[in-house]
Amino acid sequence: MMDAASTLGDVTDQLVGVFDDPKILIGVPLALLGAVFMSFGAQYQHRGVQKVERLTHVNGGSGLTGAQLANLLRRPSWVAGTAMLGLAIVCQLAALSFAPLILVQPLGAISLVITTLLNARISGHHPTKRSIGAIALCVGGIFLFVTIAAVYATETPVSDRQLLTVLVILAVVVVVLGGLWVWLRRRTNALFYIASAGMIYGFVATLAKVVISRIQHGEFEWLTVLCVVALVAGTAVGAYFVQTAYASGPPDLVIAGLTVIDPIVAIVIGLAVLHEAATAPWGAFVGFAVAGALAIAGVFQLARYHPQIVSDSQEIPIPRGSDASSGTGSTRITEAVAKVWPDPPVRNRDQSSPR
């Protein structure tokens, strides 16, 4: 019992001691401000995408067309949302210059709560108990990440070999996701685009952190330039997937996926490649795994029980009766009965009782 109490006291001292670093005290508020900008930016971009879909009469769920992308630039709501997301990125990059990557990234989960409240007010689809439980899983899992990362996160110089490893893995991920999109684009849903954008943005955040660190140390050589090119390309690909996700699902589902998958990928890179938690005990890695499982489960639950998704699925027009070119279930039964009894007698309510 005394050993457990001593261990808990050590962890508490470490957690409190982390926030004595003035850099982290600057980085955390910047990350939180970026989360606020992300919430409003996502809502405005989602509104712009939905408007363009209505104007062009083309469903963007399987991928936005070139004409739709051009129309987005003429939508004030989308442009305003993009500007807000730009401010969110600036805040995040500034936060990364003050605090470790695996501490800054998970704080974006705050934007999920804000986006949920905004979307409920605008769309009229108020959260249900199941959707609130899913959001709690997302936020709880991510904040468990933050707690563990705050105790054990350490920054180490990134070698050229580590940086090349990150770039190669990113290239493989982009090629694989691009191939899956071309092959399955007619059968994909919002979760595919959300997961794809989240994975790519996890690499983008890592590259941004590396570029900032190298510039701060005066190391701007060909490898840093290659990182900048990969960062810009990854941001563009991820942005396309995000816009398509807005055409397939509500904004708070998109933010939920991004705020969970993005930091998980960034943290895995930080742990496996950049060794930002090299001194952490095995129990910390178990904690990372449990927190990640909780957060990912929350995303899947939200995708299943989100009130707007449930409402939209109930409003899908289903052809019935003679209007259906082909039927199943009760429609086929109705057609079979009609062949046997084509003109059944109909009794009006006025004739239901003798006069």
Side-chain angles (χ1 to χ4, degrees):
M1 183 67 69
M2 292 295 294
D3 292 339
S6 176
T7 302
L8 181 60
D10 293 340
V11 170
T12 303
D13 291 340
Q14 283 181 284
L15 182 59
V16 173
V18 164
F19 291 96
D20 289 336
D21 186 346
K23 288 186 176 182
I24 290 180
L25 292 177
I26 296 173
V28 169
L30 284 173
L32 294 176
L33 180 60
V36 174
F37 281 126
M38 181 182 293
S39 302
F40 282 89
Q43 193 66 53
Y44 278 102
Q45 278 201 332
H46 178 265
R47 181 186 300 179
V49 171
Q50 295 290 311
K51 182 68 173 179
V52 166
E53 279 191 301
R54 289 194 297 268
L55 292 175
T56 59
H57 304 289
V58 176
N59 183 7
S62 59
L64 296 175
T65 64
Q68 287 176 317
L69 292 175
N71 284 329
L72 286 176
L73 297 174
R74 295 194 288 267
R75 299 307 312 167
S77 58
W78 189 87
V79 173
T82 302
M84 292 180 187
L85 289 178
L87 291 173
I89 292 173
V90 170
C91 290
Q92 186 184 47
L93 292 178
L96 286 172
S97 66
F98 290 104
L101 174 68
I102 59 178
L103 179 59
V104 170
Q105 282 298 97
L107 292 176
I110 297 296
S111 62
L112 171 57
V113 177
I114 301 173
T115 307
T116 300
L117 297 175
L118 285 174
N119 190 57
R121 183 174 181 83
I122 293 173
S123 68
H125 294 91
H126 299 287
T128 62
K129 290 183 179 180
R130 283 180 168 177
S131 65
I132 291 175
I135 292 171
L137 280 177
C138 293
V139 175
I142 290 301
F143 270 91
L144 180 57
F145 256 122
V146 171
T147 302
I148 300 173
V151 175
Y152 297 108
T154 56
E155 292 190 70
T156 57
V158 180
S159 67
D160 290 350
R161 182 176 179 180
Q162 290 174 325
L163 192 50
L164 286 172
T165 302
V166 173
L167 291 172
V168 169
I169 296 174
L170 173 60
V172 172
V173 168
V174 170
V175 169
V176 171
L177 292 177
L180 289 174
W181 176 70
V182 171
W183 182 31
L184 302 173
R185 60 182 301 181
R186 299 298 177 186
R187 290 175 284 174
T188 53
N189 55 21
L191 276 179
F192 171 80
Y193 296 110
I194 294 168
S196 299
M199 285 188 282
I200 293 173
Y201 280 157
F203 283 91
V204 167
T206 302
L207 292 176
K209 176 66 175 177
V210 171
V211 169
I212 291 172
S213 177
R214 292 202 165 207
I215 292 176
Q216 288 176 335
H217 291 86
E219 301 176 9
F220 198 80
E221 74 293 335
W222 69 271
L223 192 54
T224 306
V225 174
L226 183 60
C227 284
V228 173
V229 172
L231 191 156
V232 173
T235 301
V237 175
Y240 178 80
F241 281 136
V242 168
Q243 303 311 311
T244 305
Y246 286 142
S248 309
D252 44 344
L253 174 60
V254 177
I255 293 298
L258 292 180
T259 54
V260 168
I261 298 172
D262 177 345
I264 286 178
V265 171
I267 287 172
V268 169
I269 295 171
L271 295 177
V273 181
L274 305 183
H275 306 300
E276 288 192 345
T279 59
W282 67 269
F285 293 94
V286 173
F288 281 129
V290 172
L294 290 175
I296 292 174
V299 173
F300 279 96
Q301 290 293 308
L302 188 60
R304 183 175 181 182
Y305 297 116
H306 191 286
Q308 187 170 338
I309 293 178
V310 173
S311 176
D312 291 343
S313 67
Q314 293 172 348
E315 295 173 1
I316 296 175
I318 302 173
R320 293 176 174 86
S322 59
D323 294 335
S325 58
S326 61
T328 59
S330 62
T331 302
R332 291 179 178 175
I333 295 175
T334 302
E335 292 175 351
V337 171
K339 292 179 181 178
V340 178
W341 199 357
D343 190 18
V346 178
R347 185 171 62 178
N348 296 327
R349 291 182 178 178
D350 294 338
Q351 301 172 341
S352 59
S353 60
R355 293 184 179 179

